[in-house]
Amino acid sequence: MLDVRRLRLLRELARRGTIAAVADALAFTPSAVSQQLTALEREAGVALLERTGRRVSLTPAGHTLVAHADAVLARLEEAESDLADARAGLTGPLRIGAFPSATQAFIPATLTRLAAAHPGLEPRVTELDPARVAAALRAGELDVALVHDYDLVPFPPEPGVHTAPLYREAMFLAAESADPGATLDTWRDAPWIVATAGTRCHTMTIRACEAAGFSPRIRHQVDDFSTVLAFVAAGHGVALVPELSATDPPPGVRLIRLPIARTTTIACRAGADAHPAIAAFAAAVRAEID
């Protein structure tokens, strides 16, 4: 019989690429991960890993087993959801991931709504960039999360992760002064304020400018959109901001609507979308943003 915990380790190795990364993500030692994967190979009766010096890669049989692991782990999530639904009332921790503009705009009110309906739940919010969400869900660090993607930077399908869209919002160019009919090309020579490299927000700005025919002259890298708008108001550059963060811009900031949108999505582990605690959180979010 294949050990489910070892299947999870194999899946994480397929996603993260190295034993050290798996160990770091799941709070194991590298030697413990190696031992568990060796034990899994014995259970499977076939080589799952190819070892070349310090490098490890999956064999074709290893990749096949990962695909089965995704299905097995999804069914276990469904079983846990069914058992939770049979209990009287929702209790215990619910680990929630959210991006910064969501935690500022509607997560506090969502938690208030959730507490009123399910006082036994203990929501625990962690703020993180959407690029880190899939790995955090698969590793069991989060139960549910809000992520966003852009028309120019779609959220890639992630094995083992279920997603459902919540809402779309417009993107705006924020500048100290602007003609309402201006386009992105107007600011090709301006200093730009972008998010830190590696985030979807950073990639979105780069791709939007490139689509307009230029590369932005990056002056500042700031992740918090309220801070970005303060920089714009002080004359330190221009930036792209979502509607969620542009409802009350500082005096002197002009906003120009762009033909770009951002989509907010709710994500959880595959098979867990029917879990009553996750469903309750999703309902509270939808009620807050409607």
Side-chain angles (χ1 to χ4, degrees):
M1 180 69 68
L2 299 176
D3 187 289
V4 171
R5 293 168 297 180
R6 292 167 182 157
L7 288 177
R8 192 183 299 276
L9 289 175
L10 184 68
R11 184 177 73 169
E12 287 305 307
L13 179 61
R15 305 292 179 255
R16 298 178 186 270
T18 67
I19 285 177
V22 174
D24 183 62
L26 302 184
F28 282 79
T29 64
S31 61
V33 173
S34 294
Q35 291 169 12
Q36 291 299 311
L37 291 175
T38 298
L40 181 62
E41 286 186 301
R42 288 198 299 269
E43 293 171 350
V46 63
L48 304 175
L49 306 175
E50 291 179 338
R51 298 170 175 85
T52 307
R54 295 185 178 182
R55 299 183 62 83
V56 177
S57 59
L58 269 65
T59 64
H63 285 291
T64 297
L65 187 54
V66 167
H68 286 293
D70 284 333
V72 168
L73 293 169
R75 288 302 300 270
L76 286 175
E77 292 287 350
E78 292 174 8
E80 290 185 11
S81 298
D82 289 343
L83 292 174
D85 198 37
R87 302 187 191 110
L90 298 180
T91 60
L94 178 66
R95 298 162 298 176
I96 302 165
F99 51 91
S101 51
T103 59
Q104 293 175 2
F106 58 80
I107 287 296
T110 296
L111 297 183
T112 300
R113 185 183 294 271
L114 193 62
H118 306 284
L121 270 183
E122 302 172 15
R124 302 175 183 180
V125 175
T126 298
E127 193 173 86
L128 77 170
D129 184 78
R132 295 173 49 203
V133 162
L137 286 170
R138 284 194 296 260
E141 298 165 2
L142 297 175
D143 299 310
V144 63
L146 298 181
V147 298
H148 59 64
D149 62 10
Y150 299 91
D151 292 342
L152 298 172
V153 192
F155 188 78
E158 289 280 358
V161 176
H162 170 86
T163 60
L166 287 174
Y167 69 94
R168 283 172 63 81
E169 59 185 313
M171 294 296 298
F172 293 84
L173 182 132
E176 194 176 9
S177 61
D179 183 331
T183 63
L184 276 183
D185 184 66
T186 304
W187 287 274
R188 66 167 52 239
D189 296 321
W192 278 79
I193 307 161
V194 303
T196 53
T199 64
R200 286 196 171 88
C201 295
H202 178 98
T203 304
M204 174 271 303
T205 298
I206 301 299
R207 290 185 181 175
C209 292
E210 289 176 345
F214 68 96
S215 295
R217 296 171 53 213
I218 297 173
R219 179 73 58 82
H220 307 289
Q221 296 190 51
V222 180
D223 289 324
D224 179 75
F225 283 119
S226 61
T227 305
V228 168
L229 290 173
F231 272 50
V232 173
H236 297 307
V238 298
L240 302 186
V241 297
E243 187 174 5
L244 191 65
S245 300
T247 55
D248 188 24
V253 173
R254 290 292 303 273
L255 298 173
I256 299 177
R257 190 185 183 106
L258 300 173
I260 305 171
R262 182 173 84 163
T263 301
T264 293
T265 299
I266 190 165
C268 63
R269 285 182 293 280
D273 53 297
H275 192 288
I278 292 173
F281 172 73
V285 171
R286 289 190 172 93
E288 198 56 42
I289 63 179
D290 284 345

